[in-house]
Amino acid sequence: MTRQPGWASCPNCQGLHFAGHDFKGACPAGGQHSQEGTFGYEIDFDVPAEENVQHGWASCPNCKGLHFAEFKGTCPAGGQHSTEGSFAYALRFNVPPLPGSQPEWNACPKCQSLFFGPFRGKCPADGETHSGENSFNYVVPHSSRLQFRLRGFRENQSTDDFLQGGSDEIFISATGLDSSSVRVGPDGKPVVNLITAQPVGDVSEDSVRGPWGANPHALVEFDLLQQGDFPRTYTTTLFVVEQDNGDLQQDFQELHQQVGGKMKAAVVGVAAGVGAGIGAAVGSAVPGIGTAVGGALGALAGAGYDGLISVIDEGLQDEIFTPIPITLTVDSPWRIRTQPDVDSLKAQKVREHDADYDIVYDWHVV
């Protein structure tokens, strides 16, 4: 079985269509399909026979829609649907939906297309709404979470000398920020919500980092279903602490509090600068600031944190490294799996306090 990403629902016709090409397919409501407000759906193909799985589905190259190919149906581009070049798709039906899947999809007996049942959309067979008469209740999977995962750690050079044991005790934590989590507060000003990751370590020990090759450690997890517009940025700001004689809990508490405060201030400043929140409903996502948020957090890297880290470090007995923001920009939810940095192994170099480390990571969609 193989799962194909890049599928989207059209708000105009409510049909499921493949959006991974420049041509989005003919929509029965007119023009091409739209991807506004859609999840990033994924459809299985080459599925073995099993209970509650229906084979015989195909994508039409003319309308890009998913349709039941045993009956050709009506294509909004004219004539009947075509199966030319299509995979052999299959859908699950009449089963409880798992997290990351959506029920209530129906097959229209008039055009044979799959559509979202609660909203009837428009059928190309007669120009009226789709019909769900005698349809199964299909369940369609979609992406729901984005993970920043630790895949490895390389200690190229230690901060400790031979008399101290020659190997650092390194712990990692992080703060996550999804640009769509910037919301309008009761006073009409932007409010920033951060994700706090639990510390993990000692990452220089093989017993900790060794399993990450086969079982990556999800350090930060973002909710892809959160309401908000695109493009959207997801930023993981890494905190690295080398433990000597200090209190790790206090170290990370200070980092999350102080650095988190600076991150919030930077984001609020950018949002306010573009007039974010003016006239918007309280609690709604602030529109149009996705890439600006990523840029604001990226600008804090390096020297932007120097003064703050020196204050945090004062009185602590551990080595506190400069926070490292890593941002992923996503153009749209249905394209997230095709982003160049998704499921691509990356290494973040850390050179400070006479140490030289590589933090190996990836972004992963589930």
Side-chain angles (χ1 to χ4, degrees), residues 308-326:
L308 183 63
I309 295 304
S310 64
V311 172
I312 296 175
D313 196 38
E314 189 175 338
L316 300 178
Q317 299 181 56
D318 294 327
E319 299 282 8
I320 309 296
F321 289 75
T322 302
I324 305 165
I326 300 174

Side-chain angles (χ1 to χ4, degrees), residues 6-27 30-41 63-65 227-230 232 331-336:
W7 289 82
S9 61
C10 174
N12 302 319
C13 70
Q14 296 301 321
L16 194 71
H17 63 283
F18 186 68
H21 298 141
D22 291 338
F23 173 59
K24 306 305 179 189
C27 175
Q32 294 186 28
H33 290 295
S34 168
Q35 292 75 47
E36 184 177 358
T38 184
F39 292 150
Y41 294 96
C63 69
K64 302 298 182 184
Q227 293 298 311
D229 65 351
F230 284 84
R232 186 178 297 182
D331 294 331
S332 62
W334 54 269
R335 291 180 58 184
I336 189 167

Side-chain angles (χ1 to χ4, degrees), residues 60-80:
C60 174
N62 303 317
C63 69
K64 302 298 182 184
L66 189 70
H67 64 282
F68 191 60
E70 291 188 17
F71 308 107
K72 297 297 184 182
T74 302
C75 176
Q80 293 184 313

Side-chain angles (χ1 to χ4, degrees), residues 87-142:
F87 291 132
Y89 296 102
L91 295 175
R92 299 186 185 278
F93 63 92
N94 297 352
V95 295
L98 297 172
S101 64
Q102 186 181 45
E104 299 188 89
W105 286 86
N106 295 154
C108 177
K110 297 182 292 182
C111 67
Q112 299 302 322
S113 297
L114 190 74
F115 72 97
F116 189 54
F119 308 112
R120 296 292 179 177
K122 190 168 185 177
C123 175
D126 56 11
E128 302 296 328
T129 59
H130 289 293
S131 170
E133 185 178 1
N134 297 323
S135 174
F136 291 138
N137 177 5
Y138 297 97
V139 176
V140 181
H142 57 76

